Amino acid sequence: MADRQKTIGVLTGGGDVPGLNPALKTLVARASESGYRVVGIRRGWGGLLGYNRDDPDTWDNAVMPLDRHTVRTVDRSGGTFLHTSRTNPGKVAAADVPIFLRGADFDPGASDHHDFTSHILANLEHLGIDVLIPIGGDDTLSYAERLNREGVPIVAIPKTMDNDVFGTDYCIGFSTAVTRSVNFIHNLRTSAGSHERIAVVELFGRNSGETSLISAYLAGVDRALISEVPFDVEKLSLLLQEDKKGNRSNYAMVTISEGASMVGGQIVEYGQEDAYGHKKLGGIGVVLSEAVKQLTGSHIIYQQLSYLMRSGAPDSLDLMVAYNYANMTMDLITEGMSGRMVAMQGGTYRHIPISTIMQGEKRVDVAELYDASEYRPKVRHVLGKPMFLY
């Protein structure tokens, strides 16, 4: 009897970024060449959580077969055609537990969250998945690391526009987010200068301020506020007034990470926590704008870039990394390796144990890259730094 065709499962989790679809297309093409069958898991970990082994009529909503025809044109657009979610099967709120999993012994009040990892493992076995490729950031990959410890062969691909997955210098999506931000910042100079205002540009960045820092650095913004360094709004207001007076067009600009906070204050968040313990961020730019307006008397332009940073097609660098990460992933799989994450370190493509992501946090190196007294980028040494400085 012929050997069973080996099956690869692939999913995208967390926030979408440009570069996911090109990575998926490359994975499927390489898998096809190597004789693998590919199953696309829809909506990240949510697809596996919602997969009901006993109801074939629901399967198409959770998984889909992938072949060259399915992915032929997907690389021409951003986002992920598999869709995504922030589901954590190891920590599911009672209200989010699928109906078919609420058996007679299910007690929604027994715990705030419920662990359905055994259900996920059973589904992977039912689908015949030999190797799983999760593409995501810290949250998505932290659950992948859990499954790896449970014995599931994993080869992971890091993606996040915040570029903060520990163990790799680069994550898919970061370059495009910075490129978008720099372009929008320069465009905003038109209105800021015409109306002689202070422009506050709020960028994504929960725990890491790299997007704000690098965008400000490349766009020549006057001041940049990052998640790692609380700011004194009175001091900042004085600095912005000086910047405005020193500009012949009589305007100033400041970028701010959504996870930034004032000295003695807290980050601005709202809504319920997601499955990874995060509330939605956004609004610190409004708080800053109101405070600066009161302290300086200047009119403010407030612009929250948010999803515009992660929308649209990837730039050339994200295309390059997406293709290369996908090819590396398939190289590892064909060589029989698992428990790994593809990565970039020191400008070189590598692969590392997936457990590495749990061993630290990747944050802006303030001492090397930021002037905390002046609230602006300050790259003290370039020699020996990776392309995006840390």
Side-chain angles (χ1 to χ4, degrees), residues 14-341:
D16 68 296
V17 297
L20 292 175
N21 283 337
L24 291 168
K25 180 176 180 177
T26 304
L27 288 169
V28 173
R30 279 290 307 278
S32 177
E33 291 172 1
S34 302
Y36 289 88
R37 168 176 169 262
V38 183
V39 173
I41 298 166
R42 306 181 69 185
R43 304 178 189 88
W45 297 120
L48 284 177
L49 180 66
Y51 183 81
N52 184 350
R53 298 184 298 278
D54 299 323
D55 187 0
D57 289 339
T58 67
W59 292 355
D60 288 346
N61 192 50
V63 298
M64 61 185 297
L66 300 181
D67 56 25
R68 286 178 173 274
H69 177 73
T70 309
V71 301
R72 188 178 67 86
T73 61
V74 299
D75 58 328
R76 301 174 190 175
S77 61
T80 166
F81 78 96
L82 285 179
H83 308 297
T84 185
S85 73
R86 298 189 184 277
T87 303
N88 179 354
K91 190 179 178 183
V92 183
D96 296 328
V97 175
I99 297 297
F100 72 91
L101 290 176
R102 302 183 188 189
D105 59 345
F106 176 70
D107 180 4
S111 173
D112 290 338
H113 296 91
H114 303 265
D115 187 349
F116 286 98
T117 298
S118 60
H119 170 68
I120 300 301
L121 294 172
N123 280 348
L124 290 171
E125 183 177 1
H126 186 264
L127 290 164
I129 291 176
D130 297 287
V131 182
L132 182 62
I133 304 173
I135 309 176
D138 277 333
D139 292 337
T140 299
L141 299 189
S142 68
Y143 189 71
E145 193 273 339
R146 160 84 183 274
L147 289 183
N148 185 69
R149 285 186 280 113
E150 296 281 356
V152 178
I154 298 283
V155 181
I157 298 178
K159 71 86 206 162
T160 169
M161 57 182 293
D162 293 341
N163 202 34
D164 62 353
V165 173
F166 187 77
T168 180
D169 295 341
Y170 192 79
C171 302
I172 295 173
F174 178 67
S175 176
T176 307
V178 170
T179 299
R180 297 267 192 281
S181 299
V182 170
N183 289 339
F184 283 127
I185 287 168
H186 282 319
N187 290 341
L188 197 59
R189 292 182 185 277
T190 303
S191 294
S194 296
H195 296 275
E196 302 175 278
R197 296 184 178 184
I198 294 174
V200 176
V201 183
E202 183 177 332
L203 305 173
F204 275 147
R206 176 179 292 274
N207 298 312
S208 173
E210 186 177 8
T211 305
S212 174
L213 179 81
I214 300 300
S215 297
Y217 177 58
L218 297 180
V221 171
D222 300 298
R223 310 290 163 176
L225 304 176
I226 61 178
S227 308
E228 292 83 352
V229 179
F231 61 93
D232 180 330
V233 69
E234 293 186 359
K235 179 180 179 181
L236 174 67
S237 295
L238 291 174
L239 292 171
L240 288 171
Q241 280 184 302
E242 293 175 4
D243 296 332
K244 191 169 182 287
K245 291 177 181 177
N247 186 334
R248 290 182 62 183
S249 295
N250 196 34
Y251 75 93
M253 303 190 80
V254 54
T255 61
I256 182 169
S257 300
E258 62 177 353
S261 61
M262 294 186 188
V263 173
Q266 297 180 331
I267 62 174
V268 177
E269 54 186 4
Y270 60 94
Q272 294 184 335
E273 289 185 353
D274 64 18
Y276 295 94
H278 305 315
K279 293 183 178 180
K280 289 185 178 294
L281 290 182
I284 184 61
V286 174
V287 175
L288 173 64
S289 298
E290 291 299 323
V292 170
K293 182 178 180 179
Q294 290 182 13
L295 289 167
T296 65
S298 173
H299 289 291
I300 306 295
I301 290 177
Y302 165 63
Q303 184 65 58
Q304 186 181 44
L305 295 187
S306 59
Y307 288 96
L308 290 172
M309 297 170 62
R310 65 176 4 136
S311 61
D315 66 12
S316 296
L317 181 58
D318 271 324
L319 276 175
M320 175 75 77
V321 176
Y323 290 146
N324 291 342
Y325 275 178
N327 278 313
M328 285 179 62
T329 297
M330 286 307 305
D331 287 342
L332 291 172
I333 291 174
T334 56
E335 292 167 10
M337 299 186 68
S338 64
R340 312 298 291 179
M341 181 180 78

